[in-house]
PDB file of all heavy atoms in Angstrom:
ATOM      1  N   MET A   1     112.446  96.638 111.418  1.00 90.00           N
ATOM      2  CA  MET A   1     111.902  97.950 111.039  1.00 90.00           C
ATOM      3  C   MET A   1     112.248  98.270 109.583  1.00 90.00           C
ATOM      4  O   MET A   1     111.404  98.755 108.836  1.00 90.00           O
ATOM      5  CB  MET A   1     112.477  99.044 111.948  1.00 90.00           C
ATOM      6  CG  MET A   1     111.895  99.011 113.345  1.00 90.00           C
ATOM      7  SD  MET A   1     110.103  99.264 113.360  1.00 90.00           S
ATOM      8  CE  MET A   1     110.027 101.030 113.300  1.00 90.00           C
ATOM      9  N   TYR A   2     113.507  98.003 109.221  1.00 93.00           N
ATOM     10  CA  TYR A   2     113.904  98.280 107.833  1.00 93.00           C
ATOM     11  C   TYR A   2     113.108  97.424 106.866  1.00 93.00           C
ATOM     12  O   TYR A   2     112.734  97.878 105.788  1.00 93.00           O
ATOM     13  CB  TYR A   2     115.408  98.016 107.656  1.00 93.00           C
ATOM     14  CG  TYR A   2     116.269  99.065 108.315  1.00 93.00           C
ATOM     15  CD1 TYR A   2     117.119  98.743 109.369  1.00 93.00           C
ATOM     16  CD2 TYR A   2     116.217 100.389 107.877  1.00 93.00           C
ATOM     17  CE1 TYR A   2     117.911  99.703 109.967  1.00 93.00           C
ATOM     18  CE2 TYR A   2     116.996 101.365 108.473  1.00 93.00           C
ATOM     19  CZ  TYR A   2     117.844 101.016 109.516  1.00 93.00           C
ATOM     20  OH  TYR A   2     118.618 101.979 110.104  1.00 93.00           O
ATOM     21  N   MET A   3     112.857  96.173 107.268  1.00 95.00           N
ATOM     22  CA  MET A   3     112.118  95.262 106.389  1.00 95.00           C
ATOM     23  C   MET A   3     110.701  95.788 106.160  1.00 95.00           C
ATOM     24  O   MET A   3     110.208  95.780 105.033  1.00 95.00           O
ATOM     25  CB  MET A   3     112.073  93.870 107.024  1.00 95.00           C
ATOM     26  CG  MET A   3     111.581  92.812 106.084  1.00 95.00           C
ATOM     27  SD  MET A   3     111.887  91.191 106.774  1.00 95.00           S
ATOM     28  CE  MET A   3     111.051  90.211 105.550  1.00 95.00           C
ATOM     29  N   ILE A   4     110.057  96.262 107.210  1.00 95.00           N
ATOM     30  CA  ILE A   4     108.696  96.795 107.081  1.00 95.00           C
ATOM     31  C   ILE A   4     108.702  98.000 106.141  1.00 95.00           C
ATOM     32  O   ILE A   4     107.861  98.126 105.260  1.00 95.00           O
ATOM     33  CB  ILE A   4     108.135  97.179 108.469  1.00 95.00           C
ATOM     34  CG1 ILE A   4     107.933  95.914 109.314  1.00 95.00           C
ATOM     35  CG2 ILE A   4     106.820  97.944 108.326  1.00 95.00           C
ATOM     36  CD1 ILE A   4     107.633  96.184 110.763  1.00 95.00           C
ATOM     37  N   ALA A   5     109.686  98.886 106.325  1.00 96.00           N
ATOM     38  CA  ALA A   5     109.779 100.073 105.472  1.00 96.00           C
ATOM     39  C   ALA A   5     109.986  99.663 104.016  1.00 96.00           C
ATOM     40  O   ALA A   5     109.389 100.233 103.106  1.00 96.00           O
ATOM     41  CB  ALA A   5     110.919 100.959 105.947  1.00 96.00           C
ATOM     42  N   THR A   6     110.832  98.676 103.792  1.00 97.00           N
ATOM     43  CA  THR A   6     111.102  98.212 102.429  1.00 97.00           C
ATOM     44  C   THR A   6     109.852  97.626 101.799  1.00 97.00           C
ATOM     45  O   THR A   6     109.537  97.906 100.638  1.00 97.00           O
ATOM     46  CB  THR A   6     112.217  97.147 102.451  1.00 97.00           C
ATOM     47  OG1 THR A   6     113.360  97.693 103.128  1.00 97.00           O
ATOM     48  CG2 THR A   6     112.622  96.745 101.049  1.00 97.00           C
ATOM     49  N   VAL A   7     109.111  96.825 102.556  1.00 96.00           N
ATOM     50  CA  VAL A   7     107.884  96.222 102.036  1.00 96.00           C
ATOM     51  C   VAL A   7     106.863  97.307 101.694  1.00 96.00           C
ATOM     52  O   VAL A   7     106.245  97.278 100.627  1.00 96.00           O
ATOM     53  CB  VAL A   7     107.302  95.217 103.054  1.00 96.00           C
ATOM     54  CG1 VAL A   7     105.908  94.775 102.642  1.00 96.00           C
ATOM     55  CG2 VAL A   7     108.225  94.011 103.185  1.00 96.00           C
ATOM     56  N   MET A   8     106.701  98.271 102.581  1.00 96.00           N
ATOM     57  CA  MET A   8     105.742  99.349 102.333  1.00 96.00           C
ATOM     58  C   MET A   8     106.134 100.154 101.091  1.00 96.00           C
ATOM     59  O   MET A   8     105.296 100.500 100.265  1.00 96.00           O
ATOM     60  CB  MET A   8     105.663 100.289 103.549  1.00 96.00           C
ATOM     61  CG  MET A   8     105.045  99.632 104.775  1.00 96.00           C
ATOM     62  SD  MET A   8     103.367  99.023 104.483  1.00 96.00           S
ATOM     63  CE  MET A   8     102.484 100.559 104.476  1.00 96.00           C
ATOM     64  N   PHE A   9     107.425 100.441 100.955  1.00 96.00           N
ATOM     65  CA  PHE A   9     107.910 101.178  99.788  1.00 96.00           C
ATOM     66  C   PHE A   9     107.653 100.369  98.518  1.00 96.00           C
ATOM     67  O   PHE A   9     107.196 100.901  97.512  1.00 96.00           O
ATOM     68  CB  PHE A   9     109.406 101.456  99.947  1.00 96.00           C
ATOM     69  CG  PHE A   9     109.986 102.202  98.772  1.00 96.00           C
ATOM     70  CD1 PHE A   9     109.735 103.550  98.613  1.00 96.00           C
ATOM     71  CD2 PHE A   9     110.777 101.547  97.849  1.00 96.00           C
ATOM     72  CE1 PHE A   9     110.270 104.240  97.535  1.00 96.00           C
ATOM     73  CE2 PHE A   9     111.312 102.228  96.765  1.00 96.00           C
ATOM     74  CZ  PHE A   9     111.060 103.584  96.612  1.00 96.00           C
ATOM     75  N   GLY A  10     107.901  99.065  98.574  1.00 96.00           N
ATOM     76  CA  GLY A  10     107.682  98.189  97.423  1.00 96.00           C
ATOM     77  C   GLY A  10     106.212  98.160  97.020  1.00 96.00           C
ATOM     78  O   GLY A  10     105.884  98.226  95.841  1.00 96.00           O
ATOM     79  N   LEU A  11     105.332  98.083  98.003  1.00 96.00           N
ATOM     80  CA  LEU A  11     103.894  98.067  97.707  1.00 96.00           C
ATOM     81  C   LEU A  11     103.464  99.386  97.068  1.00 96.00           C
ATOM     82  O   LEU A  11     102.702  99.391  96.102  1.00 96.00           O
ATOM     83  CB  LEU A  11     103.098  97.835  99.002  1.00 96.00           C
ATOM     84  CG  LEU A  11     103.145  96.405  99.558  1.00 96.00           C
ATOM     85  CD1 LEU A  11     102.481  96.366 100.932  1.00 96.00           C
ATOM     86  CD2 LEU A  11     102.449  95.438  98.622  1.00 96.00           C
ATOM     87  N   GLY A  12     103.966 100.484  97.595  1.00 96.00           N
ATOM     88  CA  GLY A  12     103.615 101.789  97.042  1.00 96.00           C
ATOM     89  C   GLY A  12     104.082 101.919  95.600  1.00 96.00           C
ATOM     90  O   GLY A  12     103.342 102.364  94.728  1.00 96.00           O
ATOM     91  N   THR A  13     105.322 101.488  95.346  1.00 97.00           N
ATOM     92  CA  THR A  13     105.867 101.565  93.988  1.00 97.00           C
ATOM     93  C   THR A  13     105.077 100.659  93.055  1.00 97.00           C
ATOM     94  O   THR A  13     104.713 101.064  91.950  1.00 97.00           O
ATOM     95  CB  THR A  13     107.348 101.151  94.002  1.00 97.00           C
ATOM     96  OG1 THR A  13     108.035 101.946  94.976  1.00 97.00           O
ATOM     97  CG2 THR A  13     107.993 101.356  92.650  1.00 97.00           C
ATOM     98  N   GLY A  14     104.807  99.449  93.488  1.00 96.00           N
ATOM     99  CA  GLY A  14     104.047  98.508  92.665  1.00 96.00           C
ATOM    100  C   GLY A  14     102.661  99.030  92.345  1.00 96.00           C
ATOM    101  O   GLY A  14     102.196  98.939  91.214  1.00 96.00           O
ATOM    102  N   GLY A  15     102.001  99.608  93.328  1.00 96.00           N
ATOM    103  CA  GLY A  15     100.666 100.156  93.111  1.00 96.00           C
ATOM    104  C   GLY A  15     100.684 101.297  92.110  1.00 96.00           C
ATOM    105  O   GLY A  15      99.815 101.390  91.248  1.00 96.00           O
ATOM    106  N   THR A  16     101.704 102.150  92.210  1.00 96.00           N
ATOM    107  CA  THR A  16     101.820 103.279  91.275  1.00 96.00           C
ATOM    108  C   THR A  16     102.020 102.778  89.861  1.00 96.00           C
ATOM    109  O   THR A  16     101.387 103.252  88.920  1.00 96.00           O
ATOM    110  CB  THR A  16     102.997 104.184  91.685  1.00 96.00           C
ATOM    111  OG1 THR A  16     102.811 104.579  93.042  1.00 96.00           O
ATOM    112  CG2 THR A  16     103.081 105.416  90.806  1.00 96.00           C
ATOM    113  N   ILE A  17     102.911 101.784  89.688  1.00 96.00           N
ATOM    114  CA  ILE A  17     103.184 101.228  88.354  1.00 96.00           C
ATOM    115  C   ILE A  17     101.906 100.604  87.788  1.00 96.00           C
ATOM    116  O   ILE A  17     101.584 100.796  86.621  1.00 96.00           O
ATOM    117  CB  ILE A  17     104.328 100.202  88.439  1.00 96.00           C
ATOM    118  CG1 ILE A  17     105.643 100.923  88.761  1.00 96.00           C
ATOM    119  CG2 ILE A  17     104.448  99.414  87.127  1.00 96.00           C
ATOM    120  CD1 ILE A  17     106.785  99.993  89.123  1.00 96.00           C
ATOM    121  N   CYS A  18     101.175  99.872  88.601  1.00 96.00           N
ATOM    122  CA  CYS A  18      99.927  99.247  88.148  1.00 96.00           C
ATOM    123  C   CYS A  18      98.934 100.313  87.698  1.00 96.00           C
ATOM    124  O   CYS A  18      98.278 100.158  86.678  1.00 96.00           O
ATOM    125  CB  CYS A  18      99.316  98.396  89.256  1.00 96.00           C
ATOM    126  SG  CYS A  18     100.195  96.843  89.519  1.00 96.00           S
ATOM    127  N   GLN A  19      98.822 101.398  88.447  1.00 95.00           N
ATOM    128  CA  GLN A  19      97.905 102.480  88.083  1.00 95.00           C
ATOM    129  C   GLN A  19      98.266 103.067  86.727  1.00 95.00           C
ATOM    130  O   GLN A  19      97.404 103.296  85.879  1.00 95.00           O
ATOM    131  CB  GLN A  19      97.975 103.598  89.124  1.00 95.00           C
ATOM    132  CG  GLN A  19      96.780 103.610  90.049  1.00 95.00           C
ATOM    133  CD  GLN A  19      96.828 104.815  90.976  1.00 95.00           C
ATOM    134  OE1 GLN A  19      97.885 105.373  91.231  1.00 95.00           O
ATOM    135  NE2 GLN A  19      95.695 105.213  91.487  1.00 95.00           N
ATOM    136  N   ILE A  20      99.566 103.296  86.504  1.00 96.00           N
ATOM    137  CA  ILE A  20     100.021 103.873  85.234  1.00 96.00           C
ATOM    138  C   ILE A  20      99.678 102.923  84.090  1.00 96.00           C
ATOM    139  O   ILE A  20      99.192 103.349  83.038  1.00 96.00           O
ATOM    140  CB  ILE A  20     101.539 104.154  85.296  1.00 96.00           C
ATOM    141  CG1 ILE A  20     101.803 105.300  86.284  1.00 96.00           C
ATOM    142  CG2 ILE A  20     102.083 104.500  83.915  1.00 96.00           C
ATOM    143  CD1 ILE A  20     103.266 105.452  86.658  1.00 96.00           C
ATOM    144  N   LEU A  21      99.918 101.618  84.293  1.00 95.00           N
ATOM    145  CA  LEU A  21      99.624 100.645  83.243  1.00 95.00           C
ATOM    146  C   LEU A  21      98.132 100.622  82.931  1.00 95.00           C
ATOM    147  O   LEU A  21      97.740 100.577  81.761  1.00 95.00           O
ATOM    148  CB  LEU A  21     100.088  99.243  83.675  1.00 95.00           C
ATOM    149  CG  LEU A  21     101.603  99.044  83.721  1.00 95.00           C
ATOM    150  CD1 LEU A  21     101.930  97.681  84.321  1.00 95.00           C
ATOM    151  CD2 LEU A  21     102.206  99.152  82.325  1.00 95.00           C
ATOM    152  N   VAL A  22      97.287 100.664  83.946  1.00 94.00           N
ATOM    153  CA  VAL A  22      95.836 100.647  83.738  1.00 94.00           C
ATOM    154  C   VAL A  22      95.405 101.891  82.962  1.00 94.00           C
ATOM    155  O   VAL A  22      94.608 101.798  82.035  1.00 94.00           O
ATOM    156  CB  VAL A  22      95.104 100.564  85.101  1.00 94.00           C
ATOM    157  CG1 VAL A  22      93.617 100.841  84.928  1.00 94.00           C
ATOM    158  CG2 VAL A  22      95.315  99.184  85.713  1.00 94.00           C
ATOM    159  N   GLU A  23      95.954 103.042  83.318  1.00 93.00           N
ATOM    160  CA  GLU A  23      95.593 104.278  82.617  1.00 93.00           C
ATOM    161  C   GLU A  23      96.001 104.204  81.153  1.00 93.00           C
ATOM    162  O   GLU A  23      95.250 104.608  80.275  1.00 93.00           O
ATOM    163  CB  GLU A  23      96.267 105.478  83.292  1.00 93.00           C
ATOM    164  CG  GLU A  23      95.580 105.858  84.594  1.00 93.00           C
ATOM    165  CD  GLU A  23      96.309 106.969  85.327  1.00 93.00           C
ATOM    166  OE1 GLU A  23      97.206 107.596  84.732  1.00 93.00           O
ATOM    167  OE2 GLU A  23      95.986 107.205  86.492  1.00 93.00           O
ATOM    168  N   LYS A  24      97.175 103.656  80.871  1.00 90.00           N
ATOM    169  CA  LYS A  24      97.629 103.531  79.482  1.00 90.00           C
ATOM    170  C   LYS A  24      96.701 102.603  78.714  1.00 90.00           C
ATOM    171  O   LYS A  24      96.362 102.874  77.556  1.00 90.00           O
ATOM    172  CB  LYS A  24      99.063 102.990  79.438  1.00 90.00           C
ATOM    173  CG  LYS A  24     100.099 104.056  79.730  1.00 90.00           C
ATOM    174  CD  LYS A  24     101.492 103.520  79.529  1.00 90.00           C
ATOM    175  CE  LYS A  24     102.534 104.589  79.802  1.00 90.00           C
ATOM    176  NZ  LYS A  24     103.897 104.092  79.675  1.00 90.00           N
ATOM    177  N   ARG A  25      96.285 101.509  79.323  1.00 89.00           N
ATOM    178  CA  ARG A  25      95.365 100.574  78.667  1.00 89.00           C
ATOM    179  C   ARG A  25      94.049 101.263  78.356  1.00 89.00           C
ATOM    180  O   ARG A  25      93.497 101.111  77.274  1.00 89.00           O
ATOM    181  CB  ARG A  25      95.090  99.369  79.583  1.00 89.00           C
ATOM    182  CG  ARG A  25      96.103  98.271  79.404  1.00 89.00           C
ATOM    183  CD  ARG A  25      95.626  97.020  80.110  1.00 89.00           C
ATOM    184  NE  ARG A  25      96.781  96.213  80.492  1.00 89.00           N
ATOM    185  CZ  ARG A  25      96.808  95.381  81.504  1.00 89.00           C
ATOM    186  NH1 ARG A  25      95.754  95.221  82.265  1.00 89.00           N
ATOM    187  NH2 ARG A  25      97.885  94.677  81.771  1.00 89.00           N
ATOM    188  N   GLN A  26      93.523 102.044  79.298  1.00 87.00           N
ATOM    189  CA  GLN A  26      92.253 102.744  79.094  1.00 87.00           C
ATOM    190  C   GLN A  26      92.379 103.750  77.954  1.00 87.00           C
ATOM    191  O   GLN A  26      91.469 103.898  77.149  1.00 87.00           O
ATOM    192  CB  GLN A  26      91.833 103.452  80.387  1.00 87.00           C
ATOM    193  CG  GLN A  26      91.339 102.459  81.438  1.00 87.00           C
ATOM    194  CD  GLN A  26      91.021 103.138  82.750  1.00 87.00           C
ATOM    195  OE1 GLN A  26      91.397 104.282  82.969  1.00 87.00           O
ATOM    196  NE2 GLN A  26      90.354 102.440  83.645  1.00 87.00           N
ATOM    197  N   GLN A  27      93.510 104.428  77.858  1.00 85.00           N
ATOM    198  CA  GLN A  27      93.725 105.388  76.774  1.00 85.00           C
ATOM    199  C   GLN A  27      93.725 104.665  75.435  1.00 85.00           C
ATOM    200  O   GLN A  27      93.146 105.124  74.471  1.00 85.00           O
ATOM    201  CB  GLN A  27      95.046 106.124  76.975  1.00 85.00           C
ATOM    202  CG  GLN A  27      94.966 107.164  78.077  1.00 85.00           C
ATOM    203  CD  GLN A  27      96.309 107.825  78.350  1.00 85.00           C
ATOM    204  OE1 GLN A  27      97.322 107.416  77.790  1.00 85.00           O
ATOM    205  NE2 GLN A  27      96.321 108.817  79.206  1.00 85.00           N
ATOM    206  N   ARG A  28      94.399 103.500  75.371  1.00 82.00           N
ATOM    207  CA  ARG A  28      94.448 102.726  74.136  1.00 82.00           C
ATOM    208  C   ARG A  28      93.045 102.300  73.721  1.00 82.00           C
ATOM    209  O   ARG A  28      92.673 102.395  72.561  1.00 82.00           O
ATOM    210  CB  ARG A  28      95.312 101.463  74.331  1.00 82.00           C
ATOM    211  CG  ARG A  28      96.768 101.713  74.077  1.00 82.00           C
ATOM    212  CD  ARG A  28      97.508 100.392  74.013  1.00 82.00           C
ATOM    213  NE  ARG A  28      98.900 100.577  74.421  1.00 82.00           N
ATOM    214  CZ  ARG A  28      99.633  99.660  75.010  1.00 82.00           C
ATOM    215  NH1 ARG A  28      99.139  98.486  75.270  1.00 82.00           N
ATOM    216  NH2 ARG A  28     100.878  99.906  75.328  1.00 82.00           N
ATOM    217  N   VAL A  29      92.255 101.822  74.671  1.00 77.00           N
ATOM    218  CA  VAL A  29      90.887 101.376  74.382  1.00 77.00           C
ATOM    219  C   VAL A  29      90.075 102.549  73.849  1.00 77.00           C
ATOM    220  O   VAL A  29      89.350 102.421  72.873  1.00 77.00           O
ATOM    221  CB  VAL A  29      90.233 100.782  75.652  1.00 77.00           C
ATOM    222  CG1 VAL A  29      88.750 100.547  75.441  1.00 77.00           C
ATOM    223  CG2 VAL A  29      90.929  99.471  76.015  1.00 77.00           C
ATOM    224  N   ALA A  30      90.203 103.704  74.447  1.00 80.00           N
ATOM    225  CA  ALA A  30      89.464 104.889  74.009  1.00 80.00           C
ATOM    226  C   ALA A  30      89.872 105.265  72.589  1.00 80.00           C
ATOM    227  O   ALA A  30      89.034 105.619  71.755  1.00 80.00           O
ATOM    228  CB  ALA A  30      89.722 106.053  74.955  1.00 80.00           C
ATOM    229  N   GLN A  31      91.152 105.167  72.273  1.00 78.00           N
ATOM    230  CA  GLN A  31      91.629 105.500  70.918  1.00 78.00           C
ATOM    231  C   GLN A  31      91.075 104.533  69.891  1.00 78.00           C
ATOM    232  O   GLN A  31      90.635 104.944  68.823  1.00 78.00           O
ATOM    233  CB  GLN A  31      93.163 105.471  70.884  1.00 78.00           C
ATOM    234  CG  GLN A  31      93.787 106.679  71.572  1.00 78.00           C
ATOM    235  CD  GLN A  31      95.302 106.595  71.634  1.00 78.00           C
ATOM    236  OE1 GLN A  31      95.871 105.567  71.264  1.00 78.00           O
ATOM    237  NE2 GLN A  31      95.951 107.626  72.104  1.00 78.00           N
ATOM    238  N   THR A  32      91.086 103.239  70.196  1.00 75.00           N
ATOM    239  CA  THR A  32      90.598 102.251  69.226  1.00 75.00           C
ATOM    240  C   THR A  32      89.092 102.406  69.021  1.00 75.00           C
ATOM    241  O   THR A  32      88.610 102.263  67.909  1.00 75.00           O
ATOM    242  CB  THR A  32      90.920 100.809  69.692  1.00 75.00           C
ATOM    243  OG1 THR A  32      90.453 100.643  71.021  1.00 75.00           O
ATOM    244  CG2 THR A  32      92.406 100.533  69.644  1.00 75.00           C
ATOM    245  N   GLN A  33      88.358 102.750  70.051  1.00 76.00           N
ATOM    246  CA  GLN A  33      86.905 102.928  69.926  1.00 76.00           C
ATOM    247  C   GLN A  33      86.597 104.144  69.054  1.00 76.00           C
ATOM    248  O   GLN A  33      85.721 104.096  68.208  1.00 76.00           O
ATOM    249  CB  GLN A  33      86.276 103.117  71.304  1.00 76.00           C
ATOM    250  CG  GLN A  33      86.122 101.803  72.063  1.00 76.00           C
ATOM    251  CD  GLN A  33      85.514 102.009  73.436  1.00 76.00           C
ATOM    252  OE1 GLN A  33      85.397 103.125  73.907  1.00 76.00           O
ATOM    253  NE2 GLN A  33      85.162 100.928  74.102  1.00 76.00           N
ATOM    254  N   SER A  34      87.343 105.223  69.208  1.00 76.00           N
ATOM    255  CA  SER A  34      87.074 106.425  68.417  1.00 76.00           C
ATOM    256  C   SER A  34      87.431 106.186  66.941  1.00 76.00           C
ATOM    257  O   SER A  34      86.811 106.728  66.057  1.00 76.00           O
ATOM    258  CB  SER A  34      87.864 107.619  68.966  1.00 76.00           C
ATOM    259  OG  SER A  34      89.243 107.354  68.910  1.00 76.00           O
ATOM    260  N   LYS A  35      88.431 105.351  66.663  1.00 70.00           N
ATOM    261  CA  LYS A  35      88.806 105.053  65.284  1.00 70.00           C
ATOM    262  C   LYS A  35      87.732 104.209  64.590  1.00 70.00           C
ATOM    263  O   LYS A  35      87.487 104.367  63.405  1.00 70.00           O
ATOM    264  CB  LYS A  35      90.133 104.275  65.250  1.00 70.00           C
ATOM    265  CG  LYS A  35      91.341 105.153  65.497  1.00 70.00           C
ATOM    266  CD  LYS A  35      92.623 104.354  65.444  1.00 70.00           C
ATOM    267  CE  LYS A  35      93.837 105.197  65.787  1.00 70.00           C
ATOM    268  NZ  LYS A  35      95.057 104.424  65.881  1.00 70.00           N
ATOM    269  N   GLN A  36      87.077 103.332  65.324  1.00 68.00           N
ATOM    270  CA  GLN A  36      86.077 102.445  64.733  1.00 68.00           C
ATOM    271  C   GLN A  36      84.833 103.235  64.302  1.00 68.00           C
ATOM    272  O   GLN A  36      84.171 102.868  63.352  1.00 68.00           O
ATOM    273  CB  GLN A  36      85.670 101.359  65.725  1.00 68.00           C
ATOM    274  CG  GLN A  36      86.759 100.303  65.897  1.00 68.00           C
ATOM    275  CD  GLN A  36      86.424  99.300  66.991  1.00 68.00           C
ATOM    276  OE1 GLN A  36      85.449  99.502  67.724  1.00 68.00           O
ATOM    277  NE2 GLN A  36      87.195  98.248  67.121  1.00 68.00           N
ATOM    278  N   ARG A  37      84.518 104.317  64.974  1.00 61.00           N
ATOM    279  CA  ARG A  37      83.287 105.067  64.681  1.00 61.00           C
ATOM    280  C   ARG A  37      83.349 105.853  63.391  1.00 61.00           C
ATOM    281  O   ARG A  37      84.264 106.201  62.820  1.00 61.00           O
ATOM    282  CB  ARG A  37      82.987 106.029  65.820  1.00 61.00           C
ATOM    283  CG  ARG A  37      82.542 105.269  67.043  1.00 61.00           C
ATOM    284  CD  ARG A  37      82.222 106.226  68.166  1.00 61.00           C
ATOM    285  NE  ARG A  37      81.906 105.471  69.361  1.00 61.00           N
ATOM    286  CZ  ARG A  37      81.765 105.998  70.549  1.00 61.00           C
ATOM    287  NH1 ARG A  37      81.897 107.284  70.733  1.00 61.00           N
ATOM    288  NH2 ARG A  37      81.470 105.261  71.589  1.00 61.00           N
TER     289      ARG A  37
END
């Protein structure tokens, strides 16, 4: 039971971190595009 809880917690944390990284990348892309114009 503890192992399942740990795995689920790990997946949730990993997914959150991935989302934050993707959002930061999208912000960077938007900034570089606006500078080029």
